[in-house]
Amino acid sequence: MKEPAKKRKLPSPDLSSRLTECRDFFALPELSHLPAERKSRALDELRATGTYVQSAEEILIGAKLAWRNHARCVGRKHWRTLKLLDARHATTAEDIADACFEHLRVATNGGALQSVVTVGPPPLPDGREYRIISPQLIRYAGYLGDDGSVVGDPAHLDLTALAIRLGWRGEGTAFDVLPLMIQTPEEPIRWFDVPRELVLEVDFEHPNYRWFAGLGLKWHAVPAVSNMDLEIGGVRYPCAPFNGWYVNTEVGARNFSDTDRYDMLPTIAKKLRLDMSSDRTLWKDRALVELNRAVIHSFRESGAYMVDHHTVAKQFVDHVDREAKAGRECPTDWSWINPPMSSGITPTFHRLYDPPDMDIRPNFVSRGSSGCPFS
Ligand code: ARG
């Protein structure tokens, strides 16, 4: 059991850079109300033990700033509203699963979504960590058939195969919610079914086309990313799921449209009786618009909150302007901020931003290739 644990140990930044991060963190204006003595105690503890215990207040402020600093997030205008669930007390996989379920309850909030981050235990002194293997708290399984066809979400073939290897069995529908998979220092990966009542889903229908509901499409309301590290003040939290709310394009212009995801555009175009004889007829584009209308309409009808790509783009440029007035950098990844459809008719398209690679802290950091192979 110790062996695989060693393998997943990430190269941790050396102590001196963590001391610098700690110093920089406590020097932030957002922490200026803390007594000077708090900063020196944190530094002493970090120097002596390689880490230090942060207060819940420090973590909440750090997580808000991590959100504000994250170059790929278009929803950053709302960074101040983040709520913290402190789950550092968790010691077992069950404890972490329970914390994730509580996260879903608070985040879903009956459809009035709230932004939440749950912070689990930091790595042990020897570097072994608590990790959520699942890339999000809610993910749909994907099953590969003998003929190469896929039922469900093709993005999760590996994750589904892993769950099955661990003993999970799905029903075999296109929307089986995968179990949460959790790894702790002491145990191999364990899985936990997500209680059905915690998975708010929206069935899709179209405001004008009756046949649309017959496609049997649906999606979950809460996007809760669970495979990124939260880095605050020289401390790294590998178990820190967070959520906002969906932009329609994530579901309508990617999850259901990408040819290596649910690939629904040809089906929808046929139903619309479009001329599919050539790309030049723009049948894909027309199907894409109707699919996205259905996504927005269905979320609205069901009472689950979602934002459209025009509104979120406006909010984001407001945010960027506000940050500039506050004299703060706002690192931004243009290619992630712009929606995957109609980008040129949103305001985010028509400007430049602070470069995304400034890599400022606190931040949410992808584990990338050195971490979870399933994301
Ligand atoms: N694009 C991802 C998905 O479709 C979700 C990423 C986070 N999105 C968000 N709106 N916070 O599941």
Side-chain angles (χ1 to χ4, degrees), residues 76-91:
R76 284 183 275 170
K77 181 172 187 188
H78 302 280
W79 65 274
R80 291 168 208 273
T81 66
L82 186 66
K83 296 198 169 33
L84 168 70
L85 297 178
D86 188 350
R88 286 176 292 166
H89 52 78
T91 56

Side-chain angles (χ1 to χ4, degrees), residues 136 139 219-220 223 225 243-247 250-251 255:
Q136 288 190 31
R139 295 281 71 183
W219 204 255
H220 54 92
V225 173
N243 76 281
W245 43 79
Y246 269 116
V247 183
E250 299 184 83
V251 180
N255 303 349

Side-chain angles (χ1 to χ4, degrees), residues 168-242:
W168 175 82
R169 285 288 170 275
E171 286 174 33
T173 76
F175 299 100
D176 290 352
V177 175
L178 283 164
L180 254 186
M181 287 177 264
I182 295 170
Q183 189 158 31
T184 63
E186 302 303 335
E187 290 176 296
I189 301 172
R190 296 192 48 199
W191 59 270
F192 301 85
D193 272 319
V194 184
R196 283 230 63 84
E197 71 273 17
L198 295 182
V199 183
L200 179 61
E201 291 182 305
V202 176
D203 291 320
F204 291 150
E205 58 182 26
H206 192 281
N208 307 123
Y209 303 121
R210 293 277 295 276
W211 52 262
F212 200 97
L215 297 174
L217 302 180
K218 62 174 175 177
W219 204 255
H220 54 92
V222 179
V225 173
S226 49
N227 63 352
M228 291 176 88
D229 290 350
L230 171 56
E231 291 190 6
I232 301 174
V235 178
R236 187 172 62 85
Y237 298 96
C239 181
F242 60 91

Side-chain angles (χ1 to χ4, degrees), residues 39-283:
K39 172 180 173 177
S40 55
R41 258 196 307 120
L43 283 166
D44 289 347
E45 196 180 332
L46 178 54
R47 222 176 273 115
T49 69
T51 187
Y52 66 102
V53 180
Q54 296 174 332
S55 71
E57 186 201 11
E58 289 158 4
I59 295 182
L60 177 56
I61 294 171
K64 285 180 181 175
L65 300 186
W67 184 4
R68 193 178 80 193
N69 288 336
H70 195 72
R72 294 181 164 184
C73 179
V74 73
R76 284 183 275 170
K77 181 172 187 188
H78 302 280
W79 65 274
R80 291 168 208 273
T81 66
L82 186 66
K83 296 198 169 33
L84 168 70
L85 297 178
D86 188 350
R88 286 176 292 166
H89 52 78
T91 56
T92 63
E94 266 102 355
D95 292 346
I96 291 174
D98 285 342
C100 293
F101 298 154
E102 180 61 12
H103 182 127
L104 284 176
R105 194 171 294 121
V106 177
T108 307
N109 193 31
L113 269 60
Q114 309 195 84
S115 297
V116 178
V117 60
T118 294
V119 174
L124 299 180
D126 64 8
R128 288 179 299 153
E129 1 176 295
Y130 299 82
R131 273 186 25 193
I132 302 173
I133 302 294
S134 319
Q136 288 190 31
L137 301 184
I138 303 173
R139 295 281 71 183
Y140 294 124
Y143 308 96
L144 185 59
D146 294 334
D147 60 349
S149 67
V150 173
V151 173
D153 194 339
H156 302 135
L157 290 174
D158 290 349
L159 196 68
T160 305
L162 174 65
I164 291 171
R165 242 185 297 146
L166 297 174
W168 175 82
R169 285 288 170 275
E171 286 174 33
T173 76
F175 299 100
D176 290 352
V177 175
L178 283 164
L180 254 186
M181 287 177 264
I182 295 170
Q183 189 158 31
T184 63
E186 302 303 335
E187 290 176 296
I189 301 172
R190 296 192 48 199
W191 59 270
F192 301 85
D193 272 319
V194 184
R196 283 230 63 84
E197 71 273 17
L198 295 182
V199 183
L200 179 61
E201 291 182 305
V202 176
D203 291 320
F204 291 150
E205 58 182 26
H206 192 281
N208 307 123
Y209 303 121
R210 293 277 295 276
W211 52 262
F212 200 97
L215 297 174
L217 302 180
K218 62 174 175 177
W219 204 255
H220 54 92
V222 179
V225 173
S226 49
N227 63 352
M228 291 176 88
D229 290 350
L230 171 56
E231 291 190 6
I232 301 174
V235 178
R236 187 172 62 85
Y237 298 96
C239 181
F242 60 91
N243 76 281
W245 43 79
Y246 269 116
V247 183
N248 61 282
T249 46
E250 299 184 83
V251 180
R254 299 298 309 277
N255 303 349
F256 280 134
S257 301
D258 282 3
T259 52
D260 58 356
R261 299 292 299 283
Y262 282 80
D263 192 21
M264 291 305 297
L265 296 184
T267 306
I268 292 166
K270 272 177 215 139
K271 286 287 195 183
L272 289 167
R273 299 179 203 281
L274 300 180
D275 175 1
M276 297 167 70
S277 62
S278 156
D279 284 351
R280 281 178 289 110
T281 68
L282 301 190
W283 63 267

Side-chain angles (χ1 to χ4, degrees), residues 280-313:
R280 281 178 289 110
T281 68
L282 301 190
W283 63 267
K284 290 182 212 172
D285 312 66
R286 294 178 64 190
L288 184 63
V289 169
E290 297 309 332
L291 170 54
N292 277 273
R293 288 184 65 209
V295 170
I296 292 170
H297 167 83
S298 307
F299 265 71
R300 173 62 64 102
E301 285 290 300
S302 80
Y305 187 71
M306 154 176 282
V307 66
D308 66 84
H309 53 282
H310 297 285
T311 303
V312 82

